[in-house]
Amino acid sequence: MDNLKERVTIYQVAQAAGVSLATVSRVINKQGNVTPETRDKVERTIERLGYKPSGLAQALATNRTTNIGIVIPSANYVYIANLLNGITDVAKEKGFVLTLFVTSHNRTEALGVIEKVITTHVDGAIIFDDELDLNDIMKINSYSVPTIVVNNKVQGEKVGCVTFSYNEILRKTIESYYENGGKKQMAFVHVHDAGRLLGRCEKTFLETHEKLGRLYKVINTDDSYSHTYRDFMEYFSKNKSGYFIAYRDSIAAAIENAATDSGLKVPEDVEVLSLVGTKYANIVRPTISSLNIDMAEVGKRSMYMLIDLINRELTDKSYSFEATFLKRDSTNQ
């Protein structure tokens, strides 16, 4: 405890250097109206005393907090964690700090988060939340908060977007399956309250099957490995085959494990495709075929775009990522 030092204040620096607080502030924030001799004296005093500028003091002087608000539906999903990793990498590189706002699938709560983002006085915001619509996002924009929206195509004076699509590759995957002689009936595994991303994929699934004149199923389950496993153990007691399209890897793994534990073979009897692929697709056995977007790159792109938007240098306010199909052992093709 004897090694602890009290924090040196800007007042002590000003007193030791024999200058005003305003002069020290101008030196710290690299502003003009300071002679070279005075600047040098203040800088030497700062070094001698070991003064570390307060982020709040710098924010007040520059009207910039270097604070970015991040709105996400949950930090528990691997693909969201990957998104955050990408954002964090760029934030550290560019000297920004992040404030995280987590919502659930509840519109009232999401709107409350909007108010928090505004009152926190962030320099900008990155929003990934399926509960917020165009009017909600424009509310942030009306408070002059530069915003990048992930997974929702919207643009404005201070709003840009990063979108990603699984729809086209999903459509092609379904068509290719039937074109190459696939015989199993496909089923879309609908997860309650999974948001717009899964909704768009389900719409593509339905439209593609109706266009091809193929029979299909929609199976409802919860966003839970254990619940999905239990549901499919019951399902496979009566049904001995199928091609199942799951929301993400943990749901796909639950289906795959239930099939195996029911005495069925993957992919001979049961095929499984994960829509939002992550590293876990390679961990389970058999490995899971998936649609893939590098969410860390989505995070990096979002952060770079937001910085340009804050600096009024963003010319193209929209960027799109397209998913790719990764064939692994849970599907025949």
Side-chain angles (χ1 to χ4, degrees), residues 273-285:
L273 172 67
S274 173
L275 288 173
V276 182
T278 67
K279 62 183 180 181
Y280 292 114
N282 276 317
I283 294 176
V284 298
R285 294 292 180 270

Side-chain angles (χ1 to χ4, degrees), residues 71-99:
V71 180
I72 58 171
S74 172
N76 293 328
Y77 299 140
V78 174
Y79 71 97
I80 295 293
N82 292 342
L83 174 81
L84 286 176
N85 285 339
I87 293 173
T88 302
D89 286 346
V90 178
K92 288 191 290 187
E93 173 194 338
K94 298 297 184 181
F96 286 86
V97 295
L98 306 176
T99 300

Side-chain angles (χ1 to χ4, degrees), residues 32-198:
N33 301 324
V34 181
T35 66
E37 294 80 9
T38 300
R39 185 178 298 278
D40 181 63
K41 180 169 62 172
V42 172
E43 288 175 345
R44 282 188 284 107
T45 302
I46 288 173
E47 183 176 358
R48 176 168 58 84
L49 296 179
Y51 172 69
K52 301 296 182 185
S54 160
L56 177 59
Q58 289 179 300
L60 292 172
T62 62
N63 201 32
R64 290 280 292 274
T65 66
T66 67
N67 186 16
I68 302 299
I70 309 296
V71 180
I72 58 171
S74 172
N76 293 328
Y77 299 140
V78 174
Y79 71 97
I80 295 293
N82 292 342
L83 174 81
L84 286 176
N85 285 339
I87 293 173
T88 302
D89 286 346
V90 178
K92 288 191 290 187
E93 173 194 338
K94 298 297 184 181
F96 286 86
V97 295
L98 306 176
T99 300
L100 193 62
F101 300 86
V102 180
T103 71
S104 63
H105 292 289
N106 181 294
R107 180 169 175 74
T108 301
E109 181 180 338
L111 291 175
V113 167
I114 286 283
E115 295 296 333
K116 287 182 181 179
V117 173
I118 292 168
T119 57
T120 303
H121 300 294
V122 295
D123 283 328
I126 295 175
I127 296 177
F128 186 133
D129 192 296
D130 278 346
E131 294 300 323
L132 303 177
D133 62 21
L134 177 60
N135 290 333
D136 302 328
I137 294 162
M138 286 307 177
K139 182 175 182 180
I140 294 182
N141 192 49
S142 70
Y143 282 84
S144 298
V145 179
T147 303
I148 296 296
V149 182
V150 180
N151 190 36
N152 200 343
K153 193 164 186 177
V154 55
Q155 296 180 51
E157 181 182 354
K158 293 193 175 182
V159 177
C161 62
V162 176
T163 60
F164 42 85
S165 175
Y166 294 86
N167 301 341
E168 184 62 18
I169 190 63
L170 176 59
R171 180 185 62 79
K172 289 180 179 179
T173 300
I174 294 170
E175 291 176 345
S176 176
Y177 175 75
Y178 292 120
E179 288 171 359
N180 287 283
K183 300 296 184 182
K184 300 182 186 77
Q185 187 178 60
M186 281 193 167
F188 191 92
V189 182
H190 177 92
V191 173
H192 305 300
D193 295 326
R196 292 192 186 102
L197 173 59
L198 186 64

Side-chain angles (χ1 to χ4, degrees), residues 28 59 72 88 134 149 185 244 247 255-256 267 281 304:
I28 292 170
I72 58 171
T88 302
L134 177 60
V149 182
Q185 187 178 60
F244 302 91
Y247 177 27
I255 298 170
E256 185 176 87
Y304 280 128

